[in-house]
Amino acid sequence: MKSRFIITSILMIILFTLSACGKKAKAPLEKKDERPVVIVEELVLRDLDEYVSVSGKLEGITDITMSSEASGRILQLYKKLGDSVAKGERIGLVENEALKLRLEQAEAALVSAQSSFDNAQKNLNYAETAWQRKLISQAEYNSAMAAFKGAKAGLDGARAGVESASQAVRGSYLSAPEAGVISNLMVAAGQYIAPGTPVASITNASRLILKTGVGETQIGKIKKGQPVELSYPGLTESFKGTVRGFGIRPVLNGNTYPVEIETSGGGKLLPGMVVSARILSTRYKDLLYTPITNVVSEFGKNYIYIVDAASRAQKMEITLGRVIGENVEVLSGLQAGDRIVTSGADNLESGDAVQIRS
């Protein structure tokens, strides 16, 4: 009986101890920091670039459509879409057997005309000498002169005939008028074409040209050779270019001044792409400036919030200068080293304690 009591007492002590150990003291509640959260930026003297922004479609430095000079069936194409060609290189052949025969006939006629002319020249030389010596009459001399003039006209006509026939044969070979890449091929072997039929577009994309325009308020900022930064929506990198030239009068029936920008495109830009470009017009040195969105305007005055050394917001009246792109120059009211509020100023009051977040 006594042992049972002892065992029961021990069990009760164990249970009490376990119960006491399972209880945890409640931690005191942390007080929530209700200070407004702001993001700040230290104001420093910096350089600021001003740009003229334009956009447009790129073109090759040359982009031409060659047309056929001959008529007939295309016997063969030597090049295909995307092939490179040199200036004068043949890309195809139009049937030209009849043209070659015509050239042979013209060349034979030229040989005959040349022989007739040579004989007429000899006869005229003899007639001039004989007439001076009174060996022939005036009529005989005139006859020799007329024969010479006729032979010369025949020779000139024969030469023209050969040139015409040669041109026709040359035209039967579809030759590239400029170097570049075949960017469009409009014909196929076996097709019948006539003079003037478009054959192929040839584009030289070793350099690219952006033809665009600016308004009258910006044309005065454009200079030949200015650096340009180009971008394309599908590419993360930017590309360098220069102002190739600009017009000093607006385009016909428009109010923009033409501007041409040249770039290599880095092998990634192609003719036909619509790109954006920024022309560096002015570089300002050691300016105190801030984005316009940081400025608060009230009753004709401008303010910016700064955070002082005690982490309190102070509302500072400022004087603004030039607006440059998305930024504005600060002429007075702030100094280098001030921490200006760039986010969180909407509900601030001067003197508010704030939390600074990066």
Side-chain angles (χ1 to χ4, degrees), residues 229-250:
E229 182 180 280
L230 298 97
S231 60
Y232 178 70
L235 300 172
T236 55
E237 63 186 296
S238 60
F239 304 88
K240 302 301 181 183
T242 56
V243 174
R244 188 184 190 210
F246 59 92
I248 60 172
R249 58 178 297 177

Side-chain angles (χ1 to χ4, degrees), residues 289-308:
Y289 67 90
T290 186
I292 297 175
T293 53
N294 294 336
V295 179
V296 179
S297 297
E298 295 178 355
F299 306 109
K301 295 184 178 181
N302 298 300
Y303 302 90
I304 279 185
Y305 281 97
I306 68 169
V307 176
D308 61 20

